[in-house]
Amino acid sequence: MAVDKNMNVLIVDDYKTMLRIIRNLLKQLGFNNVDEATDGSMALQMLRVGNYGLVISDWNMEPMTGLQLLREVRADAKMKAVPFIMVTAESKSENVIAAKEAGVSNYIVKPFNAETLKMKMTSVLGDF
Amino acid sequence: MAATLDRDLALRLDVIRRDHGDSVKIDEVALVVRGLLDTVDGDISAGDLRLYRELEGLADYIHSAKAEIVQLRPAEIKTEFIASATDELDAIIGATEGATNIILDSAEQIEHLGTMMEPDVAERLTEITTRIFEACNFQDITGQRISKVVKVLKEIEVRVETLVRVFGQEADLHAPRKTPKEVSSDEDLLHGPQLATDAHDQSEIDRLLASFD
């Protein structure tokens, strides 16, 4: 099944510049319905009321980290199936393992390029 | 004799604890050690003598450590050097963030131009702007690395604070004062970029130059 590029994508990062970079890269990949949150708790509120086909989240944020957000998402019956990609500078094995155990769909290490973003999105959503 | 000694020592330690809490001045510790040594003087075995020498060495070590720490001017490290370093690092984060946003603004405008171009030119512009967006990742990573350094500096600050507390005001009072540096060579004029709060803007520079006319 073809990926619906009109799906809502939620990007979460406490660096507004990074949100802007990801939004632009998504736009170039054809995804224009992009919402932004600047920390985990804000993202959680948006996910509870919105209908999102993908979450792309940073890890290191306050007060709620990306990992906590991921756990909340996976524990919620309504949201638990939403694909969740972690985009972070945390590149230690223990981080990747913790994210995997929490149910992450894929993991991108910063700094990343458009090709990596597309590849990881394809592995989670299918070809587009 | 041992019981009297224990009682005297205990009383003395109680007085020190009452007066100073856990932050006992090094001089007080040295006085107790000296007092202890004076008490055992004249009634010592070979083992006691070794203990005596060890304690004396310890007292000397404490004194020289204290002198060295005072020379470091710990209060100044906290209020001047660390504060200045963290301000400089914050300024780096602010400046790179500002510059990155200007680069992104420009890249978005270039990308928009693509809608007015032939498809092959538009595609090429998209490739170029993608490279720009990717490169701007650096700002996030730089910011996070600098934040880590700031955290380390804050940790050093806490430890220096503890040092100052242990030495009371002594460290500051006995420390040789740093006198304002005279400008005596070209090297003394090399301060590097100024923080926004300390810097003169162009109009102030112009006014200063004009004052020579």
Side-chain angles (χ1 to χ4, degrees), chain B residues 14-120:
Chain B
D14 282 345
V15 169
I16 289 173
R17 264 194 213 101
R18 196 183 57 231
D19 291 349
H20 301 285
D22 290 330
S23 301
V24 180
K25 289 183 178 175
I26 298 302
D27 280 346
E28 297 282 354
V29 177
L31 276 174
V32 171
V33 172
R34 292 264 178 231
L36 183 64
L37 294 177
D38 289 346
T39 314
V40 297
D41 202 20
D43 188 20
I44 50 175
S45 65
D48 292 336
L49 192 60
R50 217 172 64 212
L51 174 65
Y52 183 97
R53 284 182 185 142
E54 290 291 331
L55 287 172
E56 197 171 45
L58 183 61
D60 289 344
Y61 182 80
I62 290 169
H63 270 297
S64 74
K66 181 189 156 190
E68 283 175 24
I69 291 168
V70 166
Q71 290 292 323
L72 288 174
R73 299 191 297 268
E76 195 175 283
I77 291 173
K78 177 183 174 305
T79 56
E80 194 175 316
F81 300 130
I82 294 178
S84 157
T86 51
D87 285 350
E88 295 282 356
L89 293 171
D90 285 342
I92 292 173
I93 294 177
T96 55
E97 194 170 356
T100 305
N101 279 313
I102 292 169
I103 293 168
L104 288 172
D105 283 342
S106 307
E108 285 169 6
Q109 286 168 28
I110 291 170
E111 191 182 29
H112 182 67
L113 286 177
T115 59
M116 305 168 203
M117 308 279 181
E118 295 294 320
D120 56 335

